[in-house]
């Protein structure tokens, strides 16, 4: 987005703008561009699953794609948790697909349509924090439901020397409590940094082409454009990796709660 000085603001893409202002009881509950893209992500996810759940004897490409993703997540959870992990596959699958769809949706070239701008919901800490709390809350519920107060033994690893019992539980507790923060921050930082870098490079390309000196496009715009293509491809890979890492860590955290020794 160009500002008054003609420069491109790389942070403008993260601005939440109300599309349907609404105020209830003094609280702003407006329908925003963030809300719109979350609905678009959910709609795309529903369409993807609906089109691939036909259960034909000879599956088509769409059904094979859905079965491939579900099988991938199922194998990841069962390999991390064990046979009891199957009951947690829907949760991990939902987290994985929502993050993956949201990440890719923010990379779509909606900007070619006048007045339309893509929005990456996972570039906001509030969204990633809610996903992290959902993951962390599941671990707490499963842990206390299955083991009761014995769940606290998670903070005392087997074989801990007696003379370290005053220190190791504190370290393990801190490591445990930091999990939701690391989950939320990792996804938030990865998506924000990648989009900022692409916007900065795009600014170099546009400002170089608009420069009066003839040599500027050759020295600035063309190298920036080539680098921007590479960064865009890398960011697409990061979109998938971050969804996988979030789902994998959630599976490992669930394993701690299920298979407590």
């Amino acid at each position: 987005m160009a500002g008054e000085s003609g420069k491109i603001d790389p942070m403008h893409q993260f601005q939440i703008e109300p599309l349907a202002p609404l105020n209830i009881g003094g609280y702003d509950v407006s329908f925003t561009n963030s809300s719109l893209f979350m609905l678009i992500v959910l709609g795309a996810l529903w369409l993807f699953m609906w089109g691939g759940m036909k259960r034909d004897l000879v599956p088509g490409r769409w059904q094979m794609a859905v079965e491939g993703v579900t099988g991938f997540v199922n194998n990841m959870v069962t390999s991390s948790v064990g046979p009891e992990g199957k009951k947690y596959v829907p949760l991990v699958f939902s987290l994985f697909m929502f993050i993956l769809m949201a990440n890719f949706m923010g990379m779509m070239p909606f900007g070619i349509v006048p007045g339309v701008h893509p929005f990456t919901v996972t570039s906001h800490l509030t969204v990633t924090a809610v996903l992290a709390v959902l993951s962390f809350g599941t671990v707490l519920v499963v842990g206390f439901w299955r083991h009761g107060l014995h769940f606290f033994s998670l903070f005392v690893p087997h074989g801990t020397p007696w003379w370290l019992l005053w220190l190791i539980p504190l370290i393990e507790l801190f490591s445990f409590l930091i999990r939701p923060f690391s989950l939320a921050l990792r996804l938030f930082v990865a998506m924000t940094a990648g989009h900022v870098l692409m916007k900065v490079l795009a600014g170099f390309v546009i400002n170089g082409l608009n420069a009066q000196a003839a040599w500027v496009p050759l020295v600035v715009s063309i190298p920036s454009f080539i680098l921007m293509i590479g960064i865009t491809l890398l960011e697409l890979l990061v979109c998938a990796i971050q969804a996988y890492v979030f789902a994998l860590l959630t599976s490992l955290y669930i394993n701690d709660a299920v298979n407590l020794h």
Side-chain angles (χ1 to χ4, degrees):
M1 183 68 180
E4 296 180 355
S5 61
K7 297 181 180 180
I8 293 179
D9 180 13
M11 302 306 295
H12 182 270
Q13 59 184 316
F14 307 118
Q15 182 176 344
I16 295 180
E17 301 175 352
L19 303 179
L22 180 62
N23 191 288
I24 299 178
Y27 293 95
D28 187 3
V29 290
S30 301
F31 184 79
T32 65
N33 53 344
S34 177
S35 307
L36 174 62
F37 268 84
M38 279 191 275
L39 289 179
I40 293 176
V41 168
L42 292 176
L45 180 55
W46 178 84
L47 181 63
F48 174 73
M49 294 302 299
W50 173 79
M53 296 183 68
K54 298 179 180 180
R55 297 184 178 182
D56 293 336
L57 185 60
V58 181
R61 295 180 179 179
W62 200 333
Q63 182 177 341
M64 291 178 62
V66 173
E67 291 179 353
V69 175
T70 54
F72 170 75
V73 175
N74 179 72
N75 293 335
M76 176 178 61
V77 176
T78 53
S79 63
S80 300
V81 184
E84 294 190 30
K86 288 187 176 294
K87 64 180 68 175
Y88 306 103
V89 169
L91 170 66
V92 179
F93 178 82
S94 299
L95 290 172
F96 174 76
M97 288 303 299
F98 178 82
I99 295 174
L100 185 66
M101 286 282 189
N103 291 348
F104 281 146
M105 200 64 68
M107 295 291 294
M108 294 294 102
F110 295 120
I112 60 176
V113 180
V116 179
H117 303 283
F119 187 87
T120 309
V121 296
T122 48
S123 65
H124 279 257
L125 188 58
T126 52
V127 176
T128 60
V130 169
L131 297 175
V133 168
L134 176 61
S135 172
F136 185 70
T138 301
V139 173
L140 291 178
V141 171
V142 172
F144 283 110
W145 175 63
R146 289 178 61 92
H147 307 288
L149 295 179
H150 183 63
F151 181 64
F152 287 109
S153 64
L154 177 67
F155 309 127
V156 185
H158 180 70
T160 302
W162 64 267
W163 49 275
L164 286 177
L165 290 178
W166 65 275
L167 179 61
I168 296 300
L170 295 177
I171 297 176
E172 291 292 330
L173 177 62
F174 178 78
S175 175
F176 182 79
L177 294 178
I178 208 69
R179 289 178 177 181
F181 297 97
S182 64
L183 280 176
L185 286 173
R186 183 184 295 107
L187 178 57
F188 157 71
V189 170
M191 301 313 301
T192 301
H195 282 68
V196 167
L197 182 56
M198 289 190 296
K199 195 74 170 183
V200 169
L201 291 174
F204 287 160
V205 174
I206 295 174
N207 291 332
L209 292 175
N210 293 332
Q212 296 180 354
W215 58 270
V216 175
L218 295 176
V219 176
V220 177
S221 296
I222 294 180
S224 298
F225 181 72
I226 296 175
L227 182 58
M228 186 178 67
I229 294 176
I231 294 297
T232 301
L233 295 176
L234 178 61
E235 186 67 7
L236 288 172
L237 180 61
V238 170
C239 289
I241 291 177
Q242 288 301 317
Y244 170 73
V245 169
F246 198 103
L248 177 62
L249 290 177
T250 299
S251 301
L252 294 175
Y253 296 160
I254 292 176
N255 174 64
D256 291 339
V258 173
N259 301 314
L260 184 63
H261 299 292

